[in-house]
Amino acid sequence: MRVLRLARTHRGAVAVLALLVLSACVLVAGLPRTMQAAFDGALRQSLAAAPAYQRDVAVELRSSGPESDLREPAQFASYGEQYRDLVPEPLSDLLDGTGHASAKTYDTPVNGSGGRTYLNLGWLSDGERRVEWAEGRAPGSVGTTRWQGQTVPLYEVGVSAEARDMMGLKVGDLKILGESDFAAVKVVGVFRARDAGDDYWSHNGEILHVTRLQPPGSLDYEHYTTALIADAGLARLSGADRNLSYRWVLPVDAARTGARQVDELDAAVTEFERVLKVRPGLVSGTVVSTGLPGLLDGFRAALATAQTVMFLVLGGLLVVALGVILLAVRLLVDRMDRALSLTRARGGSLRQVAGTGAVLVAAVVGPAAAAGYALSYLFPGPVPPVVHAGPVAVAVAAVAFAAARIAVAHRAPLHERREDVVAARPSARRITLELLVVGLALAGAYLLRTRGTAAGGLDPFLLVVPLALTLAAALITMRCYPYPLRLLVRAAAGGRTAVAFLGLTRAARTGSSGVLPVLILLPALGVSVFASVISGSVASTQRLASWQAVGAPVKITSDRELTAGEVERVRQVPGVARVVPVQLADVQVGHTAERAEVIAVDLAGWRELVAGAPVSLPAPPAADSGIPALVSHELRGRGTFEIGWQSRLTITTRDVVTAVPGFFTEGKFIVLPFDVNPRPVVNALLVSGAADRAALARAVPDARVETQAATLAAIQADPMTGTVSATLLVVTVALAGYALVAVLITLVIGAADRARALSLLRTLGLSDRQARRLTVLEILPMVLVTALVGLGLGLGLPAALGPGIDLSAYAGGLAVGGYDLDLTTPAALAAGLAVVAVLGAYAHAAISRRRDVSAVLRVGDLS
């Protein structure tokens, strides 16, 4: 039998099969690449946004005396090279080749300050090219001076401009350090960073800035800073008389990272720590300091959720695509049935007949799958293993199904198949198996909600349960579908016309082989509805998160008091509709060292400003007597108490609030009326309207301007968030297309039997209009029933999966719950299917009308 002749004879079915395989392979091989590229981009963005001291790898050593002191820059360079050589792969591949070393003292008090001022000494391996001198000069040699009858070392140091302003350190000042082992420092210069935004200063912030701390139980603050010393000062530093630590920083290049390296990077950090402990020849006591594992853990949680959602929707897409492809294979095999039966009757072996069909299908799907695989390389991103496996699985499944179907159909020569048999009674074994599947699906959904998901990555259980639920819904639909139709048949039997009775009867008598192809619609509708529900819920939660982060359409905050003129300039900016002033402060609680954050605002005006927004604000407290206050949970139960602000105020607790949108989400805070102070000190503004952000920033140049729209855009701009949303949209559209194709192929598969029945009925007086109605009634019930079941499945999947899907990483940190019930997409899909079914039925009836009855009916059919 010639395969090419069969292909030419059935070129329509061959073309449909090739197009379906091509589209499926493009999607199953291309979308994972886009997903992986988004995962990599999200990891790089996450690491790049993290402070360098968390992202980079540092090796630390505390000096304990002369035997462990490092006094020469060359020693630091030598140890740095050794440490870099010991970093295992793939962590070593991420190091950018730069780095620096430092030596710093810590907890060094200024003599006579009462433990409230600390001036540490710091040496940087490349400090001379990182700073520029605003006053004085760079520090130089180390001398000596006398103090309390002792000769102590005298270091020349340089201090930052911030230390000069906040701690009063001026060029020429001489300070004595220590309470027992004394040293003197002389300020010879004031420096500023050449690039204060460089990641370098994330590791050396104590040199550039002043740290202000309030010890527990104290009302005073302690001030810490680190002064720069020269190489000569390094040669004099020793762990014998100072708290001294050495540090080597190995910067990590975030652009070189990939999501598939997450687990390997964790293992590499652990291995690096182990090697440093056992490596001979290095200074003992070295430890690895890095926040990289913590950053990777946070990303891993978001990645696991993204992978789960992606595997669910892409798995559903693959199942539906395979189902439609198998329908197309069935269409092609059924078209070849007469030729194959003739070959079998003439002595052809079962292997020859099945092999011929399999070769024809392979000749179609092989090149189509290869073309789809090649086209997938147009998608950006790396190549995960599923890119190679997906097209192969599609081609193998199509060929195997063709061979199996032909082998079963032609296992005996001239095997007559009774097409008029409605259905066989299912065996007890089959019923038991189907009940087992349904029971396991329900039990899996229950366990998933009760036990949660496995920690530490993708949970296979989370992937199996949706598949089991879909299969269970399909089995229930297939078994229960005929029964309500038979009730309708009984009702239609008493009607005046026979069309409704005949159409519903044919629909109710459809056997399992006829119902099964249409059930491809079930996972298509279920997954598409699930994707639309997830997408809509994430979008609404993103909007809520942006409002909770800002608290108003626009929020303007400043570290100083805003003048009346500045507030008026904001009011005059074009597009500003309303301005609510706010006072923010850090106050003393009672007469103790306890502190709390305070916001004084007109809550009624604020509520009017955000009317219609999804954010909820507390109601203004009743002012029966005294100053009413809303307090956080940490301050509840105190009744009436005092706070120290501009003056001593006595406030009365009226209610407890969990958060104040735009300002407080945790900790100790208090909400007070705006007029609580005799003279309000406004340092924040809440603005509504359509004003330009740049214009507002020009009105108050040194203030921070945040907008709800920009915050929402930042949440949506995350690479992983954007890819999840885009993939959900693409999958929804693709599933809708496959569902429509499944309806059309189902109509074509049953076309011959349907044409024969309509031709027979036309000999009995059936009109063309009645023939079209009959065809619609035959097809439409199954489509509508499957659409309703698929809709219910898609709406139920988010609730069934429950805690297994944590989408907070894509919604600004807020948990996505109470999934929105948006029926727009499902209703449009169901309507589209119904329209296609009606149009297909009408087209088929029109084609059947043009056929000659003698070309359809055989001799004896009318007897």
Side-chain angles (χ1 to χ4, degrees):
M1 186 179 298
R2 297 181 179 179
V3 174
L4 291 180
R5 178 175 295 179
L6 286 174
R8 286 195 301 269
T9 303
H10 307 293
R11 54 185 175 273
V14 166
V16 170
L17 177 59
L19 288 176
L20 288 175
V21 172
L22 176 67
S23 64
C25 290
V26 169
L27 290 175
V28 300
L31 288 179
R33 296 191 62 177
T34 304
M35 289 164 42
Q36 193 62 50
F39 296 158
D40 293 346
L43 175 59
R44 291 163 187 163
Q45 187 179 78
S46 174
L47 294 181
Y53 71 86
Q54 292 185 355
R55 177 181 67 244
D56 296 340
V57 178
V59 178
E60 293 184 348
L61 169 68
R62 291 191 178 185
S63 173
S64 57
E67 68 282 355
S68 59
D69 287 340
L70 302 179
R71 301 182 182 275
E72 297 292 335
Q75 291 178 284
F76 284 88
S78 174
Y79 279 111
E81 288 300 323
Q82 294 183 63
Y83 291 139
R84 185 180 294 274
D85 291 340
L86 292 176
V87 177
E89 293 183 349
L91 183 59
S92 60
D93 298 334
L94 305 184
L95 304 182
D96 64 5
T98 64
H100 69 278
S102 63
K104 300 172 186 175
T105 66
Y106 55 96
D107 294 338
T108 308
V110 174
N111 189 270
S113 67
R116 291 193 296 271
T117 304
Y118 292 80
L119 183 60
N120 298 310
L121 303 179
W123 171 84
L124 300 177
S125 60
D126 55 354
E128 68 281 354
R129 66 183 183 88
R130 296 289 185 174
V131 302
E132 57 186 12
W133 298 94
E135 297 180 29
R137 60 177 176 83
S141 60
V142 178
T144 59
T145 188
R146 300 287 295 176
W147 170 255
Q148 294 184 353
Q150 303 178 38
T151 299
V152 298
L154 174 63
Y155 296 88
E156 289 186 351
V157 301
V159 298
S160 66
E162 185 174 309
R164 174 198 60 192
D165 299 336
M166 293 185 62
M167 299 176 64
L169 298 173
K170 303 182 296 297
V171 174
D173 283 356
L174 183 69
K175 300 290 184 179
I176 303 298
L177 306 181
E179 300 295 344
S180 56
D181 293 321
F182 300 109
V185 297
K186 182 179 181 180
V187 179
V188 297
V190 176
F191 65 85
R192 57 172 174 262
R194 295 183 185 273
D195 182 7
D198 194 302
D199 285 342
Y200 177 90
W201 295 109
S202 175
H203 296 282
N204 303 289
E206 69 276 20
I207 291 179
L208 201 59
H209 301 291
V210 174
T211 302
R212 200 171 81 133
L213 299 177
Q214 185 179 32
S218 174
L219 298 178
D220 297 322
Y221 286 91
E222 297 176 351
H223 294 80
Y224 295 78
T225 193
T226 301
L228 278 180
I229 61 174
D231 292 350
L234 172 66
R236 181 64 179 81
L237 280 181
S238 174
D241 49 16
R242 298 268 83 82
N243 294 324
L244 179 60
S245 67
Y246 304 125
R247 184 180 177 91
W248 291 263
V249 176
L250 308 177
V252 170
D253 186 358
R256 301 181 184 180
T257 56
R260 289 181 291 176
Q261 298 175 311
V262 169
D263 293 332
E264 296 176 358
L265 290 175
D266 269 344
V269 172
T270 303
E271 176 64 14
F272 188 37
E273 293 174 340
R274 187 193 67 81
V275 169
L276 288 183
K277 292 179 180 178
V278 302
R279 179 74 175 184
L282 292 178
V283 178
S284 61
T286 53
V287 296
V288 177
S289 173
T290 178
L292 186 59
L295 296 175
L296 295 178
D297 286 342
F299 173 77
R300 188 183 287 109
L303 177 64
T305 299
Q307 288 177 329
T308 298
V309 175
M310 293 299 96
F311 275 116
L312 284 175
V313 297
L314 290 182
L317 176 63
L318 178 60
V319 169
V320 172
L322 274 176
V324 177
I325 289 172
L326 297 185
L327 270 181
V329 171
R330 175 182 172 181
L331 175 63
L332 178 58
V333 169
D334 288 352
R335 293 291 178 87
M336 297 188 298
D337 185 71
R338 180 172 298 179
L340 296 177
S341 298
L342 184 59
T343 301
R344 188 80 167 104
R346 290 176 175 178
S349 67
L350 182 61
R351 177 181 299 179
Q352 180 183 3
V353 172
T356 300
V359 169
L360 175 58
V361 173
V364 176
V365 302
Y373 174 77
L375 289 175
S376 71
Y377 279 83
L378 297 177
F379 289 72
V383 185
V386 70
V387 171
H388 310 299
V392 173
V394 170
V396 170
V399 175
F401 177 77
R405 181 169 178 82
I406 294 173
V408 171
H410 298 278
R411 57 186 177 274
L414 298 176
H415 178 67
E416 289 289 340
R417 294 179 296 278
R418 293 289 305 278
E419 296 181 356
D420 59 329
V421 175
V422 175
R425 183 182 298 274
S427 64
R429 180 181 301 176
R430 182 170 179 177
I431 293 176
T432 303
L433 180 61
E434 292 176 356
L435 290 176
L436 179 62
V437 170
V438 174
L440 289 177
L442 295 177
Y446 173 77
L447 290 176
L448 188 61
R449 290 193 59 84
T450 55
R451 79 165 178 86
T453 56
L458 191 64
D459 187 357
F461 194 64
L462 192 59
L463 303 178
V464 173
V465 169
L467 179 61
L469 289 173
T470 303
L471 181 58
L475 291 174
I476 293 173
T477 303
M478 186 175 64
R479 290 300 172 204
C480 298
Y481 159 73
Y483 299 109
L485 281 184
R486 290 173 185 173
L487 295 178
L488 293 177
V489 168
R490 292 183 180 180
R496 299 178 59 183
T497 63
V499 173
F501 172 76
L502 291 174
L504 293 175
T505 299
R506 285 182 59 83
R509 289 187 175 185
T510 302
S512 298
S513 60
V515 175
L516 192 58
V518 184
L519 288 181
I520 295 172
L521 303 178
L522 185 63
L525 289 168
V527 174
S528 62
V529 172
F530 170 76
S532 64
V533 170
I534 291 294
S535 181
S537 299
V538 169
S540 61
T541 308
Q542 287 174 342
R543 183 167 178 263
L544 174 61
S546 65
W547 276 100
Q548 290 192 353
V550 181
V554 182
K555 181 176 67 174
I556 302 175
T557 55
S558 176
D559 295 329
R560 60 172 178 82
E561 179 182 359
L562 299 177
T563 65
E566 290 173 326
V567 176
E568 187 59 30
R569 284 203 303 269
V570 171
R571 296 182 189 275
Q572 297 303 318
V573 171
V576 170
R578 186 184 180 96
V579 177
V580 174
V582 177
Q583 300 179 76
L584 298 171
D586 178 61
V587 301
Q588 179 187 13
V589 178
H591 293 273
T592 67
E594 186 179 10
R595 312 290 294 185
E597 300 292 327
V598 163
I599 177 173
V601 64
D602 176 12
L603 282 175
W606 190 2
R607 289 164 68 92
E608 293 177 5
L609 185 140
V610 298
V615 70
S616 61
L617 293 170
D624 299 335
S625 61
I627 301 175
L630 304 176
V631 302
S632 62
H633 281 283
E634 289 79 356
L635 295 174
R636 68 185 183 276
R638 304 198 182 195
T640 299
F641 60 98
E642 284 191 359
I643 61 172
W645 193 355
Q646 296 179 5
S647 60
R648 304 299 300 182
L649 300 175
T650 302
I651 63 175
T652 303
T653 302
R654 296 298 183 190
D655 202 354
V656 177
V657 292
T658 58
V660 179
F663 294 96
F664 311 121
T665 58
E666 59 183 3
K668 299 178 181 179
F669 58 86
I670 306 169
V671 183
L672 297 175
F674 178 74
D675 57 358
V676 66
N677 288 315
R679 189 188 73 83
V681 179
V682 177
N683 51 10
L685 299 173
L686 302 174
V687 183
S688 65
D692 181 64
R693 181 179 181 180
L696 292 172
R698 288 193 297 270
V700 189
D702 60 348
R704 296 177 294 277
V705 181
E706 302 174 68
T707 67
Q708 179 268 333
T711 303
L712 177 59
I715 295 174
Q716 295 173 336
D718 179 80
M720 197 180 301
T721 301
T723 299
V724 168
S725 301
T727 303
L728 291 176
L729 177 61
V730 170
V731 169
T732 300
V733 174
L735 288 173
Y738 279 127
L740 298 180
V741 171
V743 173
L744 295 176
I745 294 180
T746 302
L747 285 169
V748 175
I749 288 176
D753 177 67
R754 196 174 301 109
R756 179 174 175 274
L758 292 177
S759 299
L760 179 61
L761 291 172
R762 278 209 304 272
T763 63
L764 302 177
L766 186 74
S767 67
D768 293 337
R769 182 178 180 183
Q770 289 174 326
R772 291 191 291 267
R773 290 174 55 195
L774 190 149
T775 305
V776 171
L777 288 174
E778 179 185 349
I779 296 297
L780 196 56
M782 190 65 231
V783 173
L784 294 180
V785 169
T786 309
L788 291 175
V789 176
L791 174 62
L793 177 65
L795 295 177
L797 275 179
L801 299 180
I805 300 181
D806 179 14
L807 298 171
S808 59
Y810 317 114
L814 291 185
V816 179
Y819 294 98
D820 299 333
L821 185 60
D822 185 5
L823 298 179
T824 303
T825 300
L829 182 57
L833 291 175
V835 169
V836 169
V838 171
L839 293 179
Y842 270 72
H844 170 70
I847 294 173
S848 299
R849 180 174 57 86
R850 294 194 297 267
R851 291 183 178 180
D852 186 3
V853 174
S854 62
V856 178
L857 301 179
R858 296 178 299 176
V859 176
D861 284 341
L862 299 178
S863 60

Short mmCIF file of all heavy atoms in Angstrom, two decimals, residues 664-694:
data_model
loop_
_atom_site.label_atom_id
_atom_site.label_comp_id
_atom_site.label_asym_id
_atom_site.label_seq_id
_atom_site.Cartn_x
_atom_site.Cartn_y
_atom_site.Cartn_z
N PHE A 664 2.02 52.37 58.26
CA PHE A 664 2.38 51.37 59.26
C PHE A 664 1.66 50.06 58.97
O PHE A 664 0.46 50.05 58.68
CB PHE A 664 2.01 51.84 60.67
CG PHE A 664 2.48 53.23 61.01
CD1 PHE A 664 1.56 54.21 61.37
CD2 PHE A 664 3.82 53.56 60.95
CE1 PHE A 664 1.99 55.49 61.68
CE2 PHE A 664 4.25 54.84 61.25
CZ PHE A 664 3.33 55.81 61.61
N THR A 665 2.41 48.97 59.06
CA THR A 665 1.83 47.64 58.95
C THR A 665 2.10 46.78 60.18
O THR A 665 1.46 45.75 60.38
CB THR A 665 2.37 46.90 57.71
OG1 THR A 665 3.81 46.83 57.80
CG2 THR A 665 1.98 47.65 56.44
N GLU A 666 3.06 47.19 61.01
CA GLU A 666 3.39 46.44 62.21
C GLU A 666 4.10 47.37 63.19
O GLU A 666 4.42 48.52 62.85
CB GLU A 666 4.29 45.25 61.88
CG GLU A 666 5.59 45.63 61.21
CD GLU A 666 6.43 44.43 60.81
OE1 GLU A 666 5.95 43.30 61.02
OE2 GLU A 666 7.55 44.62 60.32
N GLY A 667 4.35 46.86 64.39
CA GLY A 667 5.06 47.65 65.38
C GLY A 667 4.13 48.48 66.23
O GLY A 667 2.92 48.30 66.24
N LYS A 668 4.71 49.42 66.94
CA LYS A 668 3.96 50.30 67.83
C LYS A 668 3.67 51.61 67.11
O LYS A 668 4.59 52.34 66.74
CB LYS A 668 4.76 50.57 69.11
CG LYS A 668 5.07 49.31 69.91
CD LYS A 668 5.92 49.63 71.13
CE LYS A 668 6.26 48.36 71.92
NZ LYS A 668 7.10 48.65 73.10
N PHE A 669 2.39 51.90 66.92
CA PHE A 669 2.02 53.17 66.30
C PHE A 669 0.69 53.66 66.86
O PHE A 669 -0.11 52.89 67.41
CB PHE A 669 1.95 53.03 64.77
CG PHE A 669 0.97 51.98 64.29
CD1 PHE A 669 -0.37 52.27 64.11
CD2 PHE A 669 1.42 50.69 63.99
CE1 PHE A 669 -1.26 51.31 63.65
CE2 PHE A 669 0.54 49.73 63.53
CZ PHE A 669 -0.81 50.04 63.37
N ILE A 670 0.46 54.97 66.71
CA ILE A 670 -0.71 55.64 67.25
C ILE A 670 -1.27 56.57 66.19
O ILE A 670 -0.52 57.27 65.51
CB ILE A 670 -0.36 56.45 68.52
CG1 ILE A 670 0.33 55.56 69.56
CG2 ILE A 670 -1.60 57.10 69.12
CD1 ILE A 670 0.93 56.35 70.73
N VAL A 671 -2.59 56.58 66.05
CA VAL A 671 -3.28 57.48 65.12
C VAL A 671 -4.03 58.51 65.94
O VAL A 671 -4.86 58.17 66.79
CB VAL A 671 -4.25 56.71 64.21
CG1 VAL A 671 -4.90 57.66 63.21
CG2 VAL A 671 -3.53 55.57 63.50
N LEU A 672 -3.72 59.79 65.69
CA LEU A 672 -4.31 60.89 66.45
C LEU A 672 -4.98 61.88 65.50
O LEU A 672 -4.67 61.91 64.30
CB LEU A 672 -3.22 61.62 67.25
CG LEU A 672 -2.50 60.80 68.34
CD1 LEU A 672 -1.38 61.62 68.95
CD2 LEU A 672 -3.49 60.36 69.41
N PRO A 673 -5.88 62.72 66.03
CA PRO A 673 -6.46 63.78 65.19
C PRO A 673 -5.37 64.75 64.73
O PRO A 673 -4.34 64.93 65.40
CB PRO A 673 -7.46 64.45 66.13
CG PRO A 673 -7.73 63.45 67.20
CD PRO A 673 -6.47 62.67 67.38
N PHE A 674 -5.62 65.41 63.60
CA PHE A 674 -4.60 66.29 63.04
C PHE A 674 -4.31 67.48 63.94
O PHE A 674 -3.17 67.95 64.05
CB PHE A 674 -5.05 66.78 61.65
CG PHE A 674 -4.08 67.72 61.01
CD1 PHE A 674 -2.88 67.24 60.49
CD2 PHE A 674 -4.35 69.09 60.96
CE1 PHE A 674 -1.97 68.12 59.91
CE2 PHE A 674 -3.45 69.97 60.37
CZ PHE A 674 -2.25 69.48 59.85
N ASP A 675 -5.31 68.01 64.63
CA ASP A 675 -5.14 69.23 65.44
C ASP A 675 -4.70 68.93 66.87
O ASP A 675 -4.98 69.70 67.78
CB ASP A 675 -6.44 70.04 65.45
CG ASP A 675 -7.62 69.22 65.96
OD1 ASP A 675 -7.43 68.02 66.28
OD2 ASP A 675 -8.73 69.76 66.04
N VAL A 676 -4.00 67.83 67.07
CA VAL A 676 -3.59 67.45 68.42
C VAL A 676 -2.55 68.40 68.98
O VAL A 676 -2.47 68.61 70.20
CB VAL A 676 -3.08 65.99 68.42
CG1 VAL A 676 -1.78 65.87 67.61
CG2 VAL A 676 -2.88 65.48 69.84
N ASN A 677 -1.72 69.00 68.12
CA ASN A 677 -0.69 69.95 68.56
C ASN A 677 -1.16 71.39 68.37
O ASN A 677 -1.89 71.69 67.41
CB ASN A 677 0.61 69.73 67.77
CG ASN A 677 1.31 68.45 68.17
OD1 ASN A 677 1.44 68.15 69.36
ND2 ASN A 677 1.76 67.68 67.17
N PRO A 678 -0.74 72.29 69.26
CA PRO A 678 -1.11 73.71 69.06
C PRO A 678 -0.62 74.25 67.71
O PRO A 678 -1.30 75.04 67.07
CB PRO A 678 -0.43 74.41 70.23
CG PRO A 678 -0.24 73.35 71.26
CD PRO A 678 0.00 72.08 70.50
N ARG A 679 0.57 73.81 67.30
CA ARG A 679 1.09 74.23 66.00
C ARG A 679 1.44 72.96 65.22
O ARG A 679 2.44 72.30 65.51
CB ARG A 679 2.34 75.11 66.15
CG ARG A 679 2.78 75.75 64.82
CD ARG A 679 4.11 76.45 64.95
NE ARG A 679 5.22 75.52 65.06
CZ ARG A 679 5.80 74.93 64.00
NH1 ARG A 679 5.37 75.17 62.79
NH2 ARG A 679 6.82 74.11 64.18
N PRO A 680 0.62 72.62 64.24
CA PRO A 680 0.90 71.39 63.47
C PRO A 680 2.24 71.48 62.74
O PRO A 680 2.59 72.52 62.19
CB PRO A 680 -0.27 71.31 62.48
CG PRO A 680 -1.34 72.16 63.08
CD PRO A 680 -0.63 73.25 63.82
N VAL A 681 2.98 70.38 62.77
CA VAL A 681 4.24 70.26 62.04
C VAL A 681 4.01 69.28 60.90
O VAL A 681 4.13 68.06 61.06
CB VAL A 681 5.38 69.79 62.97
CG1 VAL A 681 6.68 69.66 62.17
CG2 VAL A 681 5.54 70.76 64.13
N VAL A 682 3.66 69.81 59.74
CA VAL A 682 3.31 68.97 58.60
C VAL A 682 4.59 68.49 57.91
O VAL A 682 5.44 69.30 57.53
CB VAL A 682 2.44 69.76 57.60
CG1 VAL A 682 2.15 68.91 56.37
CG2 VAL A 682 1.14 70.20 58.26
N ASN A 683 4.73 67.18 57.78
CA ASN A 683 5.87 66.62 57.05
C ASN A 683 5.45 65.55 56.04
O ASN A 683 6.28 64.81 55.52
CB ASN A 683 6.92 66.05 58.01
CG ASN A 683 6.31 65.10 59.03
OD1 ASN A 683 5.15 64.72 58.93
ND2 ASN A 683 7.10 64.73 60.02
N ALA A 684 4.15 65.47 55.76
CA ALA A 684 3.65 64.55 54.73
C ALA A 684 2.34 65.10 54.19
O ALA A 684 1.59 65.78 54.90
CB ALA A 684 3.45 63.15 55.29
N LEU A 685 2.08 64.80 52.92
CA LEU A 685 0.84 65.24 52.27
C LEU A 685 0.24 64.06 51.51
O LEU A 685 0.96 63.28 50.86
CB LEU A 685 1.11 66.38 51.29
CG LEU A 685 1.71 67.68 51.85
CD1 LEU A 685 2.06 68.63 50.71
CD2 LEU A 685 0.75 68.34 52.82
N LEU A 686 -1.08 63.95 51.59
CA LEU A 686 -1.83 62.98 50.81
C LEU A 686 -2.60 63.74 49.74
O LEU A 686 -3.34 64.68 50.06
CB LEU A 686 -2.78 62.17 51.69
CG LEU A 686 -2.12 61.41 52.85
CD1 LEU A 686 -3.19 60.78 53.74
CD2 LEU A 686 -1.18 60.35 52.32
N VAL A 687 -2.40 63.35 48.48
CA VAL A 687 -2.92 64.14 47.36
C VAL A 687 -3.76 63.24 46.46
O VAL A 687 -3.41 62.09 46.21
CB VAL A 687 -1.75 64.75 46.54
CG1 VAL A 687 -2.28 65.62 45.41
CG2 VAL A 687 -0.83 65.56 47.46
N SER A 688 -4.88 63.79 45.97
CA SER A 688 -5.69 63.11 44.98
C SER A 688 -5.78 63.96 43.73
O SER A 688 -5.50 65.17 43.76
CB SER A 688 -7.10 62.82 45.52
OG SER A 688 -7.79 64.04 45.75
N GLY A 689 -6.16 63.33 42.64
CA GLY A 689 -6.26 64.05 41.38
C GLY A 689 -5.35 63.46 40.33
O GLY A 689 -4.74 62.40 40.52
N ALA A 690 -5.24 64.17 39.21
CA ALA A 690 -4.44 63.69 38.08
C ALA A 690 -3.21 64.55 37.87
O ALA A 690 -2.83 64.84 36.73
CB ALA A 690 -5.30 63.66 36.82
N ALA A 691 -2.60 64.99 38.95
CA ALA A 691 -1.42 65.86 38.84
C ALA A 691 -0.21 65.07 38.36
O ALA A 691 -0.08 63.87 38.61
CB ALA A 691 -1.12 66.50 40.19
N ASP A 692 0.70 65.77 37.65
CA ASP A 692 1.92 65.16 37.17
C ASP A 692 2.90 64.96 38.32
O ASP A 692 3.10 65.87 39.14
CB ASP A 692 2.54 66.03 36.08
CG ASP A 692 3.81 65.42 35.52
OD1 ASP A 692 3.73 64.34 34.92
OD2 ASP A 692 4.87 66.04 35.71
N ARG A 693 3.51 63.79 38.37
CA ARG A 693 4.43 63.48 39.46
C ARG A 693 5.63 64.43 39.45
O ARG A 693 6.08 64.88 40.50
CB ARG A 693 4.89 62.03 39.35
CG ARG A 693 5.84 61.58 40.45
CD ARG A 693 6.22 60.12 40.29
NE ARG A 693 7.11 59.67 41.35
CZ ARG A 693 7.58 58.44 41.45
NH1 ARG A 693 7.25 57.54 40.53
NH2 ARG A 693 8.38 58.10 42.44
N ALA A 694 6.16 64.71 38.28
CA ALA A 694 7.32 65.62 38.19
C ALA A 694 6.96 67.01 38.68
O ALA A 694 7.76 67.69 39.34
CB ALA A 694 7.82 65.66 36.76
#
